[in-house]
Amino acid sequence: MKTVLTESPIEAAEFIKRNGIVAFPTETVYGLGANVFDEKAIAKIFVAKQRPNDNPLIAHVGNVEQINRLVKEITPNAQKFIEAFFPAPLTLVLPKAENVLLIATANLETIGVRMPRNELAQEFLKNCETPLVAPSANLSGKPSPTDWQAVYEDLNGRIDCILQGETTEIGLESTVVDCTSPIPLVLRSGAISLEDLRLIIPETELYQIKKDEIVRSPGLKHRHYSPFAKVRLVQDSRFKIQDSRFKIQDSRFKAFIGLKKPEIEFDLIKICGSVEEYAHEVFAFFRECDRKNIEIIYCETVEEKGIGAALMDRLSRAAAE
Ligand code: TXA
Ligand code: MG
């Protein structure tokens, strides 16, 4: 399949109308979109990404009214979050409407809904004239793409079109909140932090997987955000390595990303000026490490507040074996 590159949201939307799949920028990461009501196009997403079919997709809307076509009910909690935040890097899980296809929700009776605030995404959604399901536009398991070149690297020849926008503003995926029960549960942390959500609904909780429980957000159990290189977390640039199996004297080709310049030499190094910049750069850095055959990436840990919680979540998953 030839993958068309375009900067035109009108041209990109034509592919959606002809049952195609199109990668597009959002404020979080690039998504791979298909018409939410087009079963064949949705099936193509799973093939293109090599995505396990038990991992549900997020529906993206261009306006709040479209949410009503996708859900049985906007629960009172969801209504509050919508009013406070939308459009935003925030996905709300709600009971799905009957006409929403089970292939989109991986057989769940709920659907995640999000209204991106990125202008090009909004323009594209408007031209599509339908909500789009869109997972991140990477091969399954790889770091999410934060620029169109990363999408191209993973999916050229596998999808119909890439809508070329800027590098994404945030760099980590949206916060996912289950709003189906009275206490909202954060299933995945993101730029809208637990603290932000609690300003609106103080009871909001972080979802913790209990042993033997069925995972509420199936995507969480799959391997994620992983470069080929091993990822190790270090507490600060003096390198108190959390994992005693690895020593920093390691002779392997190694990289470092963090906030403080370490005292020893690395083959590739990225120092970020803030936690926000770290979040913005981390996935692109993982990809750069892979292109340069780095064998081990040391990532400095950060405080788990604000976007730091989302960053630590992604780093821990990348470091998990
Ligand atoms: O920022 C984002 O959310 C990006 C951009 C493209 O919008 N999309 C994204 O999609 O990250 P994806 O498919 O890579 O991640 C979706 C996450 C998965 O962890 C999935 O399990 C969870 O959201 N999810 C989706 N629908 C769900 C549902 N009905 N119930 C629970 N979790 C759900
Ligand atoms: Mg993803």
Side-chain angles (χ1 to χ4, degrees), residues 21-197:
I21 55 176
V22 176
F24 64 100
T26 80
E27 68 275 26
T28 57
V29 300
Y30 273 70
L32 177 59
N35 179 347
V36 72
F37 301 114
D38 183 341
E39 186 155 19
K40 286 208 180 103
I42 299 174
K44 286 188 211 165
I45 287 184
F46 284 90
V47 174
K49 276 184 58 93
Q50 299 170 344
R51 182 177 175 100
N53 55 15
D54 64 349
N55 196 356
L57 304 176
I58 294 173
H60 294 62
V61 297
N63 54 60
V64 174
E65 292 70 54
Q66 282 181 341
I67 299 174
N68 294 309
R69 291 165 61 192
L70 300 174
V71 306
K72 208 171 259 166
E73 175 203 6
I74 298 182
T75 58
N77 286 339
Q79 186 60 38
K80 287 187 194 146
F81 287 143
I82 288 169
E83 280 166 22
F85 298 112
F86 274 28
L90 175 65
T91 298
L92 304 176
V93 172
L94 288 164
K96 80 169 193 71
E98 230 147 76
N99 59 340
V100 169
L101 301 164
L102 284 168
I103 185 176
T105 66
N107 287 320
L108 295 176
E109 284 304 322
T110 56
I111 181 148
V113 192
R114 146 162 148 79
M115 180 174 168
R117 70 174 180 219
N118 174 280
E119 268 176 37
L120 190 52
Q122 289 188 354
E123 198 59 27
F124 175 54
L125 280 161
K126 199 169 90 197
N127 281 291
C128 289
E129 295 167 8
T130 173
L132 301 176
V133 279
S136 51
N138 50 286
L139 281 174
S140 206
K142 295 253 268 152
S144 294
T146 54
D147 54 28
W148 69 261
Q149 290 88 344
V151 178
Y152 186 87
E153 185 175 81
D154 276 13
L155 298 178
N156 182 38
R158 307 177 69 86
I159 63 178
D160 295 287
C161 175
I162 299 175
L163 175 56
Q164 299 166 291
E166 316 249 292
T167 300
T168 61
E169 174 198 335
I170 296 166
L172 301 179
E173 307 82 352
S174 63
T175 310
V176 179
V177 186
D178 186 336
C179 291
T180 57
S181 34
I183 294 185
L185 280 181
V186 176
L187 303 180
R188 179 176 74 182
S189 49
I192 303 289
S193 65
L194 183 61
E195 297 90 320
D196 296 331
L197 296 165

Side-chain angles (χ1 to χ4, degrees), residues 227-237 239 241 246-272 278 281-301 315:
F228 290 115
K230 291 230 169 304
V231 173
R232 292 288 163 246
L233 306 188
V234 290
Q235 258 164 4
D236 59 35
S237 44
F239 293 112
I241 295 178
F246 289 87
K247 295 218 164 52
I248 200 65
Q249 286 80 11
D250 207 303
S251 62
R252 285 178 288 183
F253 211 42
K254 56 185 180 289
F256 173 85
I257 183 167
L259 300 170
K260 289 185 266 357
K261 193 171 183 312
E263 282 149 28
I264 61 164
E265 294 292 311
F266 284 88
D267 301 292
L268 189 65
I269 190 159
K270 176 134 224 137
I271 306 302
C272 307
Y278 191 170
E281 296 298 322
V282 68
F283 287 153
F285 186 73
F286 282 176
R287 284 178 181 267
E288 187 186 353
C289 286
D290 279 348
R291 282 195 300 272
K292 297 192 168 146
N293 298 317
I294 294 289
E295 292 164 278
I296 183 156
I297 309 171
Y298 292 93
C299 301
E300 185 180 338
T301 56
L315 293 179

Side-chain angles (χ1 to χ4, degrees), residues 195-213:
E195 297 90 320
D196 296 331
L197 296 165
R198 282 184 174 162
L199 286 178
I200 309 304
I201 302 177
E203 294 75 23
T204 307
E205 285 292 346
L206 258 190
Y207 171 62
Q208 316 264 9
I209 301 172
K210 295 190 203 85
K211 213 169 155 264
D212 300 331
E213 190 186 4

